[in-house]
Amino acid sequence: MTAAAMPALASCPARNSGDGAFAAAGRDFVGYAFHGVTGLPSPLFQDAVVAVSEWLSGARLDRIKPVDSIGAIAPRPVMLVHCADDELVRAADARALFAAAGEPKTLWIVPDCAHVQSFHIETDQYVRRVEEFFRRAFATGVN
């Protein structure tokens, strides 16, 4: 979920669930993801990847910080799902988003799981948790 989308989400009645979300883009995020995808040492390519990403997107990556906006979603419920062994986005990002989110909020770190594979690794538990999240979220009547 991009930081640009956060204000729009905060003004709509929808409840929000995310899997594998990053807390902030920028050089460190790109370096970690680049290494996770390629296996190559990120310091050698990090600046070039950031420059190309910014050129393609037309946005400064260091200004994309969902962690600064997630709190605005409250009082709408937020559920964050993240894989403990995510090679593209650190689980620390999910913890930072969770800490910055307002209540009500839920965080589930799925063990032994790579980037956005939680549904495939823990299908039954994933379905149960997401159904329960939306059941509770829509029962509250928060707009």
Side-chain angles (χ1 to χ4, degrees):
M1 183 176 312
T2 66
M6 291 293 191
L9 285 174
S11 65
C12 77
R15 281 62 175 158
N16 303 284
S17 174
D19 189 347
F22 61 88
R27 196 169 187 280
D28 290 339
F29 167 72
V30 168
Y32 185 80
F34 179 82
H35 177 72
V37 170
T38 67
L40 298 172
S42 61
L44 299 175
F45 303 97
Q46 202 163 343
D47 292 334
V49 173
V50 168
V52 170
S53 298
E54 290 181 342
W55 177 72
L56 289 172
S57 68
R60 291 279 312 267
L61 295 186
D62 60 355
R63 293 185 182 162
I64 302 172
K65 298 179 181 179
V67 71
D68 291 345
S69 302
I70 194 168
I73 294 173
R76 289 155 206 86
V78 173
M79 178 182 193
L80 298 166
V81 177
H82 206 96
C83 294
D85 301 326
D86 193 323
E87 69 285 5
L88 301 181
V89 182
R90 292 176 176 98
D93 281 41
R95 291 183 186 96
L97 287 166
F98 182 74
E103 293 290 345
K105 59 187 178 181
T106 303
L107 173 62
W108 177 33
I109 304 290
V110 182
D112 303 318
C113 181
H115 186 65
V116 298
Q117 293 300 306
S118 54
F119 176 78
H120 302 290
I121 300 298
E122 293 286 351
T123 304
D124 293 341
Q125 191 172 171
Y126 185 97
V127 169
R128 183 182 55 75
R129 286 176 181 249
V130 171
E131 281 181 350
E132 179 59 26
F133 167 76
F134 281 109
R135 190 171 290 115
R136 281 192 325 262
F138 284 106
T140 65
V142 174
N143 289 327

